[in-house]
Amino acid sequence: PAMGILTRPTMLDCPAPAILFLPGYSCSAEDELPERFAEEGIIGFSLGFGETPNCGGDIHDSRLLSEHPDDPENFGYLRVILMALAGVEFLAGLPFVDSKRLAVVGASQGGGLALITAGLDSRIKAVASLVPYLCDIMRTQAVVDAEPSTELRRWLIENPTRADVTYRTLQYFDAVNFVEKIVVPTLFLYSPTDEVVHPDSVELAI
């Protein structure tokens, strides 16, 4: 199930533009940022990856990156990407949303998912990708000593014979490989001193 928090302006001029907000490496939907955009007349849908929008836990507790990373049909991020695409479909189908003015915003994991979503769905007309994780995944896990990269590194240490097939699988889900499909305005924000999202990985996407 894909669920989230929908925010609507008090005074709504229909149809209105809408933004899909994608979360970082946690399953809780954000509400503060969409509410700010609602004050400016923009509809927001903040997607959560749990059974309820605010399920009170981190996705890495369920080890998303190490959920079958050697199998593209069962990798945890396949489920999450399908949820993001379902979020676009949900917004586009609302009668008070202008389906020609859809944007996607995310930070960290959400920033990487924003790039993937925009690369897969041409209805997205603007992207804000903030410190995007999921870029150059294999190299990131090798050089970053912080979660969630270390989660994937532990899995590779425990499954050394699956390294090659894991590398091939991750190429299907690496945000860098979706960027060339994006032909709409895209904002990148990252830090050269980030200890979780390696700056070289973001620059490769840019």
Side-chain angles (χ1 to χ4, degrees), residues 102-143:
L102 299 178
V104 61
V105 174
S108 192
Q109 170 190 259
L113 290 173
L115 297 173
I116 295 171
T117 303
L120 290 172
D121 198 319
S122 60
R123 289 175 294 185
I124 298 298
K125 302 305 180 186
V127 185
S129 179
L130 315 177
V131 289
Y133 194 75
L134 299 178
C135 293
D136 200 9
I137 303 171
M138 281 298 286
R139 189 163 69 96
T140 296
Q141 64 82 27
V143 299

Side-chain angles (χ1 to χ4, degrees), residues 28-44:
S28 298
E30 304 289 342
D31 55 3
E32 182 178 345
L33 191 58
E35 287 176 358
R36 293 180 184 176
F37 277 90
E39 295 173 359
E40 303 299 327
I42 299 174
I43 295 164

Side-chain angles (χ1 to χ4, degrees), residues 125-203:
K125 302 305 180 186
V127 185
S129 179
L130 315 177
V131 289
Y133 194 75
L134 299 178
C135 293
D136 200 9
I137 303 171
M138 281 298 286
R139 189 163 69 96
T140 296
Q141 64 82 27
V143 299
V144 173
D145 191 24
E147 294 284 6
S149 293
T150 51
E151 173 192 322
L152 178 58
R153 187 156 69 242
R154 287 193 299 271
W155 189 93
L156 288 166
I157 292 172
E158 295 168 1
N159 300 272
T161 62
R162 305 297 292 169
D164 288 344
V165 68
T166 297
Y167 176 79
R168 289 196 297 272
T169 296
L170 292 177
Q171 298 312 298
Y172 290 110
F173 300 89
D174 198 307
V176 170
N177 296 327
F178 291 84
V179 172
E180 65 180 16
K181 301 178 182 295
I182 302 174
V183 294
V184 298
T186 302
L187 170 68
F188 284 91
L189 177 66
Y190 70 104
S191 168
T193 60
D194 198 308
E195 296 181 354
V196 176
V197 178
H198 199 281
D200 288 352
S201 68
V202 182
E203 291 174 359

Side-chain angles (χ1 to χ4, degrees), residues 7-18 38 40-44 95-98:
T7 57
R8 296 175 58 181
T10 303
M11 301 297 292
L12 183 61
D13 293 327
C14 294
E40 303 299 327
I42 299 174
I43 295 164
F96 46 82
V97 167
D98 184 350

